[in-house]
Amino acid sequence: MTSPHALLPSAEAIQADLSTRIIGKKLFMHAEVDSTNDVAAALAKSGTPDGTVVVAERQTRGHGRLGRRWVSPPGVNLYFSIVIRRDYPLHLLTWLPLLAALGVARSVEKITGLAARLKWPNDVICRRGDRTRKVAGILAESIGMASSTERAIVVGIGLNANATAEAFLPDLQSIASSLLMETGRPVDRVHLLVSILSEIETLYDELRSRPALTQAGYYAACDTIGKEVRVELLGNQHVEGVAEAVGPEGALRVRVADGALVDIFAGDVVHLR
Ligand code: BT5
């Protein structure tokens, strides 16, 4: 085990601990990048193989969905992106970020003992009583959708591992937390990274062979199901109702006031009750 305070080691040292078949067989380790998603997207465009991973100690322009900022303090967390270029049926592609979140939650639970849960679509949260905090977020981006042979999806993961409260500006302190802040113990980031890559590989394989089983795994870990929610949509629209299920294409199914079921494919969820 490496010291939790150590910088991430070389790509070769990380790969020596990896037991995956495809994910991370090609792995790039950077001290600093704008965004691991942007570096991975450029690699995807130049034909890098399925499963290529880009990791960075620091991101100067880490981003979330809709161009939102991902706060990326150096040397304490995990920022990495995986290039996926396998031939999944189109209706399963929405599951890639959802299952990445599930892979993160499973690894966090295995390694730290924390009961990590999911907020649809892809936030990893930790709950203490009524208080929930986001410890990880996933950003999936499509590259070259022209044909299934050219298509790649970049799945980017930001996980707050050993950040302390000072890493988060006041506006994030009521939203964000880290594994260290939740458990009081630093976590070995290499161990965590290797475990997440392996969980994601298993889930992505299973998505192809037994999609219903994988989807049931997501369902079981998702805190949003059964909750009264408000979903903020693009263009200042919103939907309120009870989140009843996640459909086979990854959409959140919300029962609204007039009894209709509405499928939502993208949005920001607030758990009301
Ligand atoms: C996400 O977006 O949660 C996706 C974040 C993906 C980040 C990874 S890091 C590696 C790769 N490279 C990138 O450039 N991105 C990916 P979204 O659901 O839009 O949430 C963004 C919101 O989360 C922000 O508006 C803040 O409110 C909050 N936030 C920002 N930084 C955070 C952090 N470090 N921890 C928890 N919450 C944060």
Side-chain angles (χ1 to χ4, degrees), residues 35-37 59 61-65 68-71 79-81 123 134 137-139 156-158 160 168 172 175-176 268:
S35 149
T36 57
N37 263 37
Q59 297 189 113
R61 280 193 52 253
H63 46 87
R65 293 174 301 150
R68 291 184 285 225
R69 180 162 171 244
W70 186 255
V71 173
Y79 315 110
F80 61 102
S81 301
D123 283 358
K134 176 165 170 172
I138 319 288
L139 174 67
I157 297 171
N160 302 325
F168 304 116
L172 273 188
I175 301 173
D268 287 308

Side-chain angles (χ1 to χ4, degrees), residues 43-165:
L43 287 167
K45 283 181 192 145
S46 61
T48 201
D50 183 31
T52 300
V53 172
V54 176
V55 189
E57 272 290 8
R58 177 195 187 105
Q59 297 189 113
T60 52
R61 280 193 52 253
H63 46 87
R65 293 174 301 150
L66 306 170
R68 291 184 285 225
R69 180 162 171 244
W70 186 255
V71 173
S72 310
V76 285
N77 291 337
L78 285 175
Y79 315 110
F80 61 102
S81 301
I82 311 170
V83 176
I84 297 296
R85 53 161 28 109
R86 313 172 188 184
D87 213 4
Y88 285 107
L90 269 182
H91 73 277
L92 290 181
L93 290 179
T94 43
W95 281 95
L96 296 178
L98 276 64
L99 295 180
L102 179 58
V104 170
R106 286 186 175 168
S107 291
V108 164
E109 212 161 325
K110 267 189 200 162
I111 291 175
T112 67
L114 266 177
R117 303 281 298 163
L118 306 177
K119 186 171 85 155
W120 184 90
N122 40 41
D123 283 358
V124 182
I125 56 174
C126 287
R127 213 173 38 186
R128 259 192 252 159
D130 281 347
R131 158 202 175 285
T132 56
R133 294 286 185 274
K134 176 165 170 172
V135 295
I138 319 288
L139 174 67
E141 297 179 289
S142 300
I143 315 296
M145 291 297 283
S147 76
S148 63
T149 46
E150 285 169 41
R151 183 190 307 129
I153 311 283
V154 169
V155 180
I157 297 171
L159 169 59
N160 302 325
N162 294 326
T164 51

